[in-house]
Short mmCIF file of all heavy atoms in Angstrom, two decimals:
data_model
loop_
_atom_site.label_atom_id
_atom_site.label_comp_id
_atom_site.label_asym_id
_atom_site.label_seq_id
_atom_site.Cartn_x
_atom_site.Cartn_y
_atom_site.Cartn_z
N LEU M 201 8.67 -3.23 13.52
CA LEU M 201 9.14 -4.57 13.23
C LEU M 201 9.73 -4.62 11.83
O LEU M 201 9.14 -4.11 10.89
CB LEU M 201 7.99 -5.58 13.35
CG LEU M 201 7.22 -5.57 14.68
CD1 LEU M 201 6.15 -6.65 14.66
CD2 LEU M 201 8.17 -5.77 15.86
N ALA M 202 10.90 -5.24 11.70
CA ALA M 202 11.59 -5.24 10.41
C ALA M 202 12.41 -6.51 10.25
O ALA M 202 12.86 -7.10 11.23
CB ALA M 202 12.49 -4.02 10.29
N SER M 203 12.61 -6.94 9.00
CA SER M 203 13.45 -8.10 8.73
C SER M 203 14.91 -7.71 8.59
O SER M 203 15.79 -8.55 8.74
CB SER M 203 12.98 -8.80 7.44
OG SER M 203 12.97 -7.90 6.35
N GLU M 204 15.17 -6.41 8.33
CA GLU M 204 16.55 -5.93 8.16
C GLU M 204 16.54 -4.41 8.17
O GLU M 204 15.49 -3.78 8.05
CB GLU M 204 17.12 -6.42 6.83
CG GLU M 204 16.30 -5.93 5.63
CD GLU M 204 16.89 -6.32 4.29
OE1 GLU M 204 18.05 -6.80 4.25
OE2 GLU M 204 16.18 -6.16 3.28
N TRP M 205 17.73 -3.82 8.28
CA TRP M 205 17.87 -2.38 8.17
C TRP M 205 18.04 -1.97 6.70
O TRP M 205 17.53 -0.96 6.26
CB TRP M 205 19.06 -1.88 8.97
CG TRP M 205 19.39 -0.43 8.73
CD1 TRP M 205 20.44 0.08 8.02
CD2 TRP M 205 18.64 0.71 9.20
NE1 TRP M 205 20.41 1.46 8.01
CE2 TRP M 205 19.31 1.88 8.73
CE3 TRP M 205 17.48 0.87 9.94
CZ2 TRP M 205 18.86 3.17 8.99
CZ3 TRP M 205 17.03 2.16 10.21
CH2 TRP M 205 17.71 3.29 9.74
N GLY M 206 18.74 -2.77 5.93
CA GLY M 206 19.00 -2.45 4.54
C GLY M 206 17.85 -2.78 3.62
O GLY M 206 16.69 -2.84 4.04
N SER M 207 18.18 -3.03 2.32
CA SER M 207 17.14 -3.29 1.32
C SER M 207 17.36 -4.58 0.57
O SER M 207 16.82 -4.77 -0.52
CB SER M 207 17.11 -2.12 0.31
OG SER M 207 16.69 -0.93 0.92
N SER M 208 18.12 -5.52 1.15
CA SER M 208 18.43 -6.75 0.42
C SER M 208 17.21 -7.63 0.22
O SER M 208 17.20 -8.50 -0.65
CB SER M 208 19.53 -7.53 1.16
OG SER M 208 19.05 -8.04 2.39
N LYS M 209 16.16 -7.44 1.02
CA LYS M 209 14.96 -8.28 0.93
C LYS M 209 13.81 -7.60 0.18
O LYS M 209 12.69 -8.07 0.19
CB LYS M 209 14.51 -8.71 2.32
CG LYS M 209 15.58 -9.50 3.08
CD LYS M 209 15.06 -10.00 4.42
CE LYS M 209 16.18 -10.62 5.25
NZ LYS M 209 16.87 -11.71 4.58
N GLY M 210 14.10 -6.47 -0.48
CA GLY M 210 13.08 -5.88 -1.35
C GLY M 210 12.45 -4.60 -0.84
O GLY M 210 12.91 -3.96 0.11
N GLY M 211 11.33 -4.25 -1.49
CA GLY M 211 10.69 -2.97 -1.28
C GLY M 211 10.12 -2.75 0.10
O GLY M 211 10.14 -1.63 0.62
N LEU M 212 9.62 -3.81 0.74
CA LEU M 212 9.08 -3.66 2.09
C LEU M 212 10.16 -3.14 3.04
O LEU M 212 9.91 -2.25 3.85
CB LEU M 212 8.51 -4.99 2.59
CG LEU M 212 7.67 -4.97 3.87
CD1 LEU M 212 6.71 -6.15 3.89
CD2 LEU M 212 8.54 -5.02 5.12
N SER M 213 11.36 -3.69 2.92
CA SER M 213 12.47 -3.26 3.77
C SER M 213 12.82 -1.80 3.51
O SER M 213 13.10 -1.03 4.44
CB SER M 213 13.71 -4.13 3.51
OG SER M 213 13.47 -5.47 3.88
N THR M 214 12.79 -1.40 2.24
CA THR M 214 13.11 -0.02 1.88
C THR M 214 12.11 0.95 2.49
O THR M 214 12.49 1.96 3.10
CB THR M 214 13.13 0.14 0.35
OG1 THR M 214 14.11 -0.74 -0.21
CG2 THR M 214 13.46 1.57 -0.04
N ILE M 215 10.83 0.66 2.33
CA ILE M 215 9.79 1.54 2.88
C ILE M 215 9.87 1.58 4.40
O ILE M 215 9.73 2.65 5.01
CB ILE M 215 8.39 1.06 2.42
CG1 ILE M 215 8.22 1.31 0.93
CG2 ILE M 215 7.29 1.77 3.21
CD1 ILE M 215 6.92 0.81 0.35
N ASN M 216 10.12 0.44 5.02
CA ASN M 216 10.22 0.36 6.47
C ASN M 216 11.31 1.30 6.99
O ASN M 216 11.12 2.05 7.95
CB ASN M 216 10.54 -1.09 6.87
CG ASN M 216 9.74 -1.53 8.07
OD1 ASN M 216 9.05 -0.74 8.72
ND2 ASN M 216 9.82 -2.81 8.38
N ARG M 217 12.49 1.24 6.35
CA ARG M 217 13.61 2.07 6.78
C ARG M 217 13.31 3.56 6.58
O ARG M 217 13.56 4.38 7.46
CB ARG M 217 14.87 1.67 6.03
CG ARG M 217 16.11 2.46 6.44
CD ARG M 217 17.34 2.07 5.65
NE ARG M 217 17.24 2.41 4.24
CZ ARG M 217 17.01 1.53 3.26
NH1 ARG M 217 16.87 0.26 3.55
NH2 ARG M 217 16.94 1.93 2.00
N LYS M 218 12.78 3.90 5.40
CA LYS M 218 12.49 5.30 5.12
C LYS M 218 11.42 5.85 6.08
O LYS M 218 11.51 7.00 6.53
CB LYS M 218 12.01 5.45 3.67
CG LYS M 218 13.07 5.14 2.64
CD LYS M 218 14.16 6.18 2.61
CE LYS M 218 13.70 7.50 2.07
NZ LYS M 218 14.81 8.48 1.91
N LEU M 219 10.42 5.04 6.37
CA LEU M 219 9.37 5.46 7.30
C LEU M 219 9.98 5.74 8.68
O LEU M 219 9.67 6.75 9.31
CB LEU M 219 8.29 4.38 7.41
CG LEU M 219 7.15 4.65 8.38
CD1 LEU M 219 6.37 5.88 7.97
CD2 LEU M 219 6.21 3.44 8.45
N ALA M 220 10.86 4.84 9.13
CA ALA M 220 11.51 5.02 10.43
C ALA M 220 12.32 6.31 10.46
O ALA M 220 12.27 7.08 11.43
CB ALA M 220 12.40 3.82 10.73
N ILE M 221 13.08 6.56 9.40
CA ILE M 221 13.94 7.75 9.35
C ILE M 221 13.12 9.02 9.45
O ILE M 221 13.47 9.96 10.18
CB ILE M 221 14.78 7.73 8.06
CG1 ILE M 221 15.86 6.64 8.14
CG2 ILE M 221 15.43 9.09 7.81
CD1 ILE M 221 16.61 6.40 6.85
N HIS M 222 12.01 9.07 8.74
CA HIS M 222 11.21 10.31 8.74
C HIS M 222 10.39 10.47 10.02
O HIS M 222 10.21 11.60 10.48
CB HIS M 222 10.33 10.35 7.50
CG HIS M 222 11.09 10.70 6.26
ND1 HIS M 222 11.39 11.99 5.92
CD2 HIS M 222 11.66 9.92 5.31
CE1 HIS M 222 12.08 12.01 4.80
NE2 HIS M 222 12.25 10.77 4.40
N LEU M 223 9.93 9.39 10.61
CA LEU M 223 9.24 9.51 11.89
C LEU M 223 10.20 9.93 12.99
O LEU M 223 9.82 10.65 13.92
CB LEU M 223 8.57 8.17 12.26
CG LEU M 223 7.35 7.76 11.44
CD1 LEU M 223 6.83 6.41 11.91
CD2 LEU M 223 6.24 8.81 11.52
N ALA M 224 11.46 9.49 12.89
CA ALA M 224 12.46 9.82 13.91
C ALA M 224 12.84 11.29 13.91
O ALA M 224 13.47 11.77 14.86
CB ALA M 224 13.71 8.95 13.71
N LYS M 225 12.48 12.02 12.86
CA LYS M 225 12.79 13.45 12.81
C LYS M 225 11.93 14.24 13.78
O LYS M 225 12.23 15.38 14.11
CB LYS M 225 12.60 13.98 11.38
CG LYS M 225 13.64 13.44 10.40
CD LYS M 225 13.41 13.98 9.00
CE LYS M 225 14.45 13.42 8.03
NZ LYS M 225 14.24 13.92 6.63
N PHE M 226 10.83 13.62 14.23
CA PHE M 226 9.98 14.25 15.24
C PHE M 226 10.65 14.12 16.60
O PHE M 226 10.90 13.00 17.07
CB PHE M 226 8.62 13.55 15.27
CG PHE M 226 7.47 14.42 14.88
CD1 PHE M 226 6.86 14.30 13.64
CD2 PHE M 226 6.98 15.36 15.77
CE1 PHE M 226 5.78 15.09 13.28
CE2 PHE M 226 5.90 16.17 15.43
CZ PHE M 226 5.30 16.03 14.18
N SER M 227 10.94 15.22 17.27
CA SER M 227 11.63 15.17 18.57
C SER M 227 10.77 14.54 19.65
O SER M 227 11.28 14.11 20.68
CB SER M 227 12.07 16.57 18.99
OG SER M 227 10.95 17.41 19.19
N GLU M 228 9.44 14.49 19.43
CA GLU M 228 8.55 13.91 20.43
C GLU M 228 8.41 12.39 20.27
O GLU M 228 7.62 11.77 20.97
CB GLU M 228 7.16 14.55 20.32
CG GLU M 228 7.10 15.98 20.85
CD GLU M 228 7.26 16.05 22.35
OE1 GLU M 228 7.16 15.01 23.01
OE2 GLU M 228 7.49 17.15 22.86
N VAL M 229 9.19 11.81 19.35
CA VAL M 229 9.07 10.37 19.08
C VAL M 229 10.41 9.67 19.27
O VAL M 229 11.47 10.19 18.89
CB VAL M 229 8.57 10.13 17.63
CG1 VAL M 229 8.48 8.64 17.33
CG2 VAL M 229 7.22 10.79 17.42
N GLU M 230 10.36 8.51 19.86
CA GLU M 230 11.55 7.67 20.03
C GLU M 230 11.33 6.38 19.23
O GLU M 230 10.43 5.61 19.52
CB GLU M 230 11.75 7.33 21.51
CG GLU M 230 12.98 6.49 21.79
CD GLU M 230 13.13 6.22 23.28
OE1 GLU M 230 13.24 7.20 24.05
OE2 GLU M 230 13.09 5.03 23.68
N ILE M 231 12.15 6.18 18.19
CA ILE M 231 11.98 5.05 17.28
C ILE M 231 12.95 3.92 17.61
O ILE M 231 14.16 4.12 17.73
CB ILE M 231 12.21 5.49 15.82
CG1 ILE M 231 11.18 6.54 15.40
CG2 ILE M 231 12.15 4.27 14.89
CD1 ILE M 231 9.77 6.02 15.30
N THR M 232 12.39 2.72 17.74
CA THR M 232 13.19 1.50 17.89
C THR M 232 12.92 0.61 16.69
O THR M 232 11.77 0.38 16.33
CB THR M 232 12.83 0.75 19.18
OG1 THR M 232 13.13 1.57 20.32
CG2 THR M 232 13.62 -0.55 19.29
N PHE M 233 13.97 0.13 16.07
CA PHE M 233 13.89 -0.77 14.92
C PHE M 233 14.21 -2.17 15.42
O PHE M 233 15.34 -2.45 15.82
CB PHE M 233 14.91 -0.32 13.86
CG PHE M 233 14.45 -0.47 12.44
CD1 PHE M 233 13.37 0.26 11.96
CD2 PHE M 233 15.11 -1.31 11.56
CE1 PHE M 233 12.96 0.15 10.64
CE2 PHE M 233 14.72 -1.43 10.25
CZ PHE M 233 13.64 -0.70 9.77
N PHE M 234 13.22 -3.07 15.44
CA PHE M 234 13.39 -4.41 16.03
C PHE M 234 13.60 -5.43 14.92
O PHE M 234 12.70 -5.65 14.09
CB PHE M 234 12.16 -4.75 16.86
CG PHE M 234 12.29 -6.00 17.68
CD1 PHE M 234 13.48 -6.34 18.32
CD2 PHE M 234 11.21 -6.86 17.83
CE1 PHE M 234 13.60 -7.49 19.07
CE2 PHE M 234 11.30 -8.02 18.58
CZ PHE M 234 12.51 -8.34 19.20
N VAL M 235 14.78 -6.03 14.88
CA VAL M 235 15.16 -6.94 13.78
C VAL M 235 15.71 -8.25 14.33
O VAL M 235 16.16 -8.31 15.48
CB VAL M 235 16.22 -6.29 12.88
CG1 VAL M 235 15.69 -5.04 12.21
CG2 VAL M 235 17.49 -5.96 13.67
N PRO M 236 15.70 -9.32 13.53
CA PRO M 236 16.28 -10.59 13.97
C PRO M 236 17.78 -10.48 14.20
O PRO M 236 18.33 -11.06 15.13
CB PRO M 236 15.97 -11.56 12.81
CG PRO M 236 14.80 -10.95 12.11
CD PRO M 236 15.00 -9.48 12.23
N GLN M 237 18.47 -9.74 13.31
CA GLN M 237 19.91 -9.55 13.44
C GLN M 237 20.34 -8.38 12.55
O GLN M 237 19.64 -8.02 11.60
CB GLN M 237 20.67 -10.81 13.04
CG GLN M 237 20.38 -11.29 11.64
CD GLN M 237 21.00 -12.63 11.34
OE1 GLN M 237 21.64 -13.23 12.19
NE2 GLN M 237 20.84 -13.11 10.11
N CYS M 238 21.49 -7.81 12.86
CA CYS M 238 22.02 -6.73 12.05
C CYS M 238 23.50 -6.55 12.34
O CYS M 238 24.04 -7.14 13.28
CB CYS M 238 21.26 -5.42 12.32
SG CYS M 238 21.59 -4.74 13.95
N SER M 239 24.16 -5.74 11.55
CA SER M 239 25.59 -5.50 11.73
C SER M 239 25.82 -4.26 12.59
O SER M 239 24.90 -3.46 12.80
CB SER M 239 26.26 -5.30 10.36
OG SER M 239 25.80 -4.10 9.76
N GLU M 240 27.05 -4.10 13.05
CA GLU M 240 27.39 -2.90 13.81
C GLU M 240 27.30 -1.67 12.91
O GLU M 240 26.96 -0.58 13.37
CB GLU M 240 28.81 -3.03 14.40
CG GLU M 240 28.90 -4.04 15.53
CD GLU M 240 27.95 -3.72 16.68
OE1 GLU M 240 27.89 -2.54 17.09
OE2 GLU M 240 27.28 -4.65 17.16
N GLY M 241 27.61 -1.86 11.62
CA GLY M 241 27.48 -0.75 10.67
C GLY M 241 26.04 -0.28 10.54
O GLY M 241 25.78 0.92 10.45
N ASP M 242 25.10 -1.24 10.54
CA ASP M 242 23.68 -0.90 10.49
C ASP M 242 23.28 -0.07 11.72
O ASP M 242 22.56 0.93 11.60
CB ASP M 242 22.81 -2.16 10.43
CG ASP M 242 22.93 -2.89 9.10
OD1 ASP M 242 23.36 -2.26 8.12
OD2 ASP M 242 22.59 -4.08 9.05
N LYS M 243 23.74 -0.51 12.89
CA LYS M 243 23.40 0.19 14.13
C LYS M 243 23.95 1.61 14.13
O LYS M 243 23.27 2.56 14.54
CB LYS M 243 23.94 -0.58 15.33
CG LYS M 243 23.24 -1.90 15.59
CD LYS M 243 23.81 -2.59 16.83
CE LYS M 243 23.08 -3.91 17.10
NZ LYS M 243 23.63 -4.59 18.30
#
């Protein structure tokens, strides 16, 4: 669960994104980032 993909809302957003990126490196894991809204660039 996330408020955004970027870091405009502060440190929580930054940690959330970095955590997702590193967990996604595991081939046995499928990561979904669930946000209220985002841009096509974010996707």
Side-chain angles (χ1 to χ4, degrees):
L201 305 182
S203 56
E204 60 176 348
W205 171 254
S207 294
S208 68
K209 301 184 188 304
L212 191 155
S213 296
T214 300
I215 290 176
N216 223 351
R217 181 181 66 255
K218 293 291 290 186
L219 178 62
I221 289 172
H222 284 278
L223 289 179
K225 292 180 180 179
F226 244 104
S227 63
E228 287 291 346
V229 179
E230 181 179 300
I231 298 292
T232 297
F233 217 64
F234 189 39
V235 297
Q237 57 187 2
C238 69
S239 67
E240 289 303 314
D242 290 341
K243 291 182 179 180

